[in-house]
C-alpha cells in the first residue's frame, strides 16, 4: 500500500509551504510498506516517526526537532535525509534498518531542545535494534556521530564525522557489537 499526499490545487507539493504545529511528531507512519519522499518537517519534537515495517524515508528534510527521525519498524530505510539543527538525528530501535547517504547538521544556537547527552547523536542504533547499517553519511556537530547499543550490532562504514563533541563513535555497555 501507499499513502499519497496531493495538494488541493493539483500543483506539486514543492510549490507550497505547508505548516505544522509543535505537536509530538510531524508525521507518524503506522502502516508497513510505505515510502515518504520529499517531505519537509520543521519545529516538531520528532520530525518523522516510523512504526510500520519496511518504511522508506527518502529525500526528506527535518529542521529544528528534538529528534529528526525515529525508526521503530523493522527493515526500514532512511536515504538522503537532510537534518538541520536538531538535537538528535536518526534513532533506530528496530532490526535491519539502513541509514545511508544522509546529511545531518547540528548547530548550537539559542533554540535548544532538552535532551540526554547520549541522544545528541547523529545516528543511534539502540536496544533492541539488531543488524543496523549506517553508510556514507555526513554528520556534523553532534555530541557523537554514531552510537551503537544493541544486541546484534551494527555495520558502520564510510561515514564522515565533523566536530563531534564527545567522540566520533560510541558503544554502549552490556550489548554485543
Amino acid at each position: 500500500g501507499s499513502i499519497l499526499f496531493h495538494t488541493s490545487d493539483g500543483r506539486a507539493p514543492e510549490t507550497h509551504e505547508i505548516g505544522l504545529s509543535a505537536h509530538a511528531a510531524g508525521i507518524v507512519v503506522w502502516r508497513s510498506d510505505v515510502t515518504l519522499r520529499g517531505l519537509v518537517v520543521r519545529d516538531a519534537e520528532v520530525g518523522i516517526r516510523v512504526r510500520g515495517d519496511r518504511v522508506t524515508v527518502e529525500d526528506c528534510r527535518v529542521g529544528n526537532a528534538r529528534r529528526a527521525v525515529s525508526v521503530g519498524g523493522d527493515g526500514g530505510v532512511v536515504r538522503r535525509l537532510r537534518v538541520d539543527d536538531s538535537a538528535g538525528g536518526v534513532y533506530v530501535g528496530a532490526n535491519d534498518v539502513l541509514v545511508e547517504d544522509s546529511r545531518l547538521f547540528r548547530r548550537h544556537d539559542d533554540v535548544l531542545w532538552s535532551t540526554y547527552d547520549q541522544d545528541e547523536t547523529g545516528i543511534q542504533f539502540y536496544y533492541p535494534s539488531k543488524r543496523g547499517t549506517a553508510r556514507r553519511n555526513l554528520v556534523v556537530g553532534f555530541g557523537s556521530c554514531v552510537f551503537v547499543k544493541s544486541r546484534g550490532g551494527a555495520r558502520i562504514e564510510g561515514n564522515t564525522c565533523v566536530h563531534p563533541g564527545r567522540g566520533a563513535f560510541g558503544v554502549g555497555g552490556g550489548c554485543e557489537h
Side-chain angles (χ1 to χ4, degrees):
S2 298
I3 298 174
L4 300 175
F5 291 94
H6 294 278
T7 58
S8 59
D9 61 6
R11 293 186 307 162
E14 302 84 49
T15 64
H16 297 274
E17 184 163 327
I18 300 171
L20 296 172
S21 68
H23 288 278
I27 187 167
V28 180
V29 179
W30 288 95
R31 289 195 175 255
S32 295
D33 303 304
V34 171
T35 297
L36 288 179
R37 185 175 294 124
L39 183 68
V40 177
V41 179
R42 293 183 305 270
D43 306 322
E45 183 154 341
V46 176
I48 300 169
R49 184 181 306 262
V50 173
R51 292 294 176 245
D53 293 336
R54 298 171 306 281
V55 172
T56 298
V57 175
E58 188 172 81
D59 299 317
C60 294
R61 290 183 72 133
V62 177
N64 191 35
R66 183 171 183 264
R67 179 172 288 146
V69 175
S70 177
V71 181
D74 293 343
V77 175
V78 177
R79 180 178 294 126
R80 295 185 303 275
L81 172 71
R82 168 73 185 231
V83 175
D84 291 295
D85 200 24
S86 293
V90 179
Y91 176 91
V92 177
N95 301 322
D96 305 305
V97 174
L98 169 64
V99 181
E100 69 177 356
D101 300 321
S102 296
R103 305 294 177 252
L104 296 83
F105 300 92
R106 171 78 166 115
R107 185 179 76 230
H108 297 273
D109 60 11
D110 292 337
V111 179
L112 297 176
W113 287 90
S114 175
T115 184
Y116 178 61
D117 281 350
Q118 179 178 298
D119 288 336
E120 192 185 309
T121 298
I123 301 166
Q124 185 174 170
F125 293 98
Y126 204 79
Y127 181 83
S129 74
K130 294 180 184 175
R131 299 175 304 276
T133 301
R135 65 180 174 216
R136 299 185 308 269
N137 299 289
L138 171 64
V139 181
V140 179
F142 288 85
S144 294
C145 290
V146 179
F147 184 86
V148 178
K149 185 176 183 180
S150 69
R151 297 197 185 275
R155 170 168 275 169
I156 312 301
E157 55 191 24
N159 298 284
T160 301
C161 299
V162 180
H163 304 300
R166 288 181 304 282
F169 302 99
V171 178
C175 294
E176 303 165 9
H177 305 285

